[in-house]
Structure formats: C-alpha cells, structure tokens
Amino acid sequence: MMGSPQLRPLFGGALSAVVPYNVTDISELREIPDNQEVFAHPHTDQSLIVELLEYQGQVADQDAARYHLEDIAGSNKTQEPGAFEVSDVVALPKAEASLLECSSAWMLKGTQCVSKFDEEARNTVSIHLGLLRLPQFSTDILITFNDPQSISPDSSSASAAQTHRELWTVDDFRRTLLSLTLHDPGLFG
C-alpha cells in the first residue's frame, strides 16, 4: 500500500517541497553539508538531493544544468569519456513552478557510471536534475534524483538492487521540483 507524498520543510523551514512519503532523511544517519538536504529510498539506492549552490552568472541559463551536472560528475570522479552523458535538457514553463522567485527553471536527464565509496564496481545511474535559478539571491537550486538502472554484483549496493518495492518515479521527482516553495529569503544571507 503506497502512502501519499508529503509536504516537507527544508533548510529549517526556509523552503518546503512535496517529497515521496517513504523518504529516509540522511542527515539523521550522517553529517550532511549545510547547503544540502539528502533523502534516500528506504529499500533501494534511489536518492533525492536538494542543494543550494552559488549562482553561476557566467553560464547561460540553457547551459547551467549541464554545467552543474559536469560539476557533480567531477565530484563523483566520473569525468572520463563515456562515464556520463546528457540525453535531454528542457526549459520548464515558469508558470509550472511554485518557486515564483526563480528566473528560469530547467530539467536535465542524463546517465552516469559511478562507483560508491571509492569501490571498483561501477553502477549505471539515471540522473534527473532540476535547476531553479535565483540570480537575485546569487543562488542556483539543484534538485537531483538518482535512479540506479544497473548495479554491479560487486557493488556494496548489490543487495539493495534486489528489492524493487514502491520505487520513486520521475513524476515524484517532478512533483518535488515543481512544489519547491520559498518561505524565508533570509536563507540566502
């Protein structure tokens, strides 16, 4: 029996968004940087990350989602040829976004071959990245949905690959992205 998505306060209530009902808040398990909210699926390796990043004014709006994905790929050590690819970048109509303050909104779909915890084993992960640009607050907000497609049998995630209960969907990600709402601009300093 699936539960209903829930409105969840983020960053101490300065933002909120609708997230899947069955999220595990990773900050309850380990230290998370102050600029991130990280949620994991309780039974799979799916994750949903809301991240506040410095606005990249030198990057055109239509290129900014790819710019941030390349930055993530660098952090994940997946910059060698073929380790990640972008299949689609689309502008979202601003009228669809609850974050009225954003100057533009973008969705990117890509794939990344990444290992977990510096393991040798590599997993293929679909990445759905939402970007909400807030130049007036010098902030780019990223919402990233990591959806593993292929888990190496040698990965520490191999056991999670066997349990496909109530997977999150791209619709869940889209709901989170489009429902993000700002309650306290003081969040941005």
Side-chain angles (χ1 to χ4, degrees), residues 4 9 17 20 36 49 54 62-63 68 73 83 98-99 103 154 160 178 186:
S4 301
Q36 293 181 349
I49 302 167
E54 185 178 342
Q62 67 271 19
D63 300 326
H68 285 296
S98 298
L99 190 67
S103 63
D154 298 327
L178 296 177

Side-chain angles (χ1 to χ4, degrees), residues 22-145:
N22 58 343
V23 299
T24 298
D25 184 341
I26 297 302
S27 71
E28 295 172 4
L29 304 175
R30 64 179 162 90
E31 187 104 6
I32 297 295
D34 288 345
N35 70 319
Q36 293 181 349
E37 294 274 359
V38 181
F39 304 102
H41 189 286
H43 306 295
T44 72
D45 254 18
Q46 291 179 313
S47 64
L48 195 57
I49 302 167
V50 181
E51 195 166 10
L52 306 177
L53 297 172
E54 185 178 342
Y55 178 74
Q56 298 299 318
Q58 79 283 7
V59 181
D61 286 349
Q62 67 271 19
D63 300 326
R66 181 185 296 267
Y67 173 91
H68 285 296
L69 179 67
E70 288 173 0
D71 191 50
I72 291 168
S75 299
N76 291 341
K77 301 177 179 75
T78 57
Q79 286 191 300
E80 63 267 12
F84 79 96
E85 70 177 81
V86 173
S87 54
D88 198 21
V89 179
V90 295
L92 294 173
K94 278 181 51 176
E96 288 184 22
S98 298
L99 190 67
L100 304 175
E101 298 82 358
C102 74
S103 63
S104 66
W106 299 84
M107 267 183 48
L108 175 149
K109 184 177 187 319
T111 307
Q112 186 171 261
C113 291
V114 65
S115 38
K116 210 170 170 182
F117 310 121
D118 293 324
E119 297 173 344
E120 288 295 314
R122 293 177 88 65
N123 305 319
T124 303
V125 178
S126 282
I127 296 185
H128 301 272
L129 187 144
L131 171 63
L132 300 160
R133 304 208 79 192
L134 299 164
Q136 71 275 36
F137 298 119
S138 302
T139 301
D140 279 338
I141 299 178
L142 279 191
I143 299 181
T144 309
F145 171 41

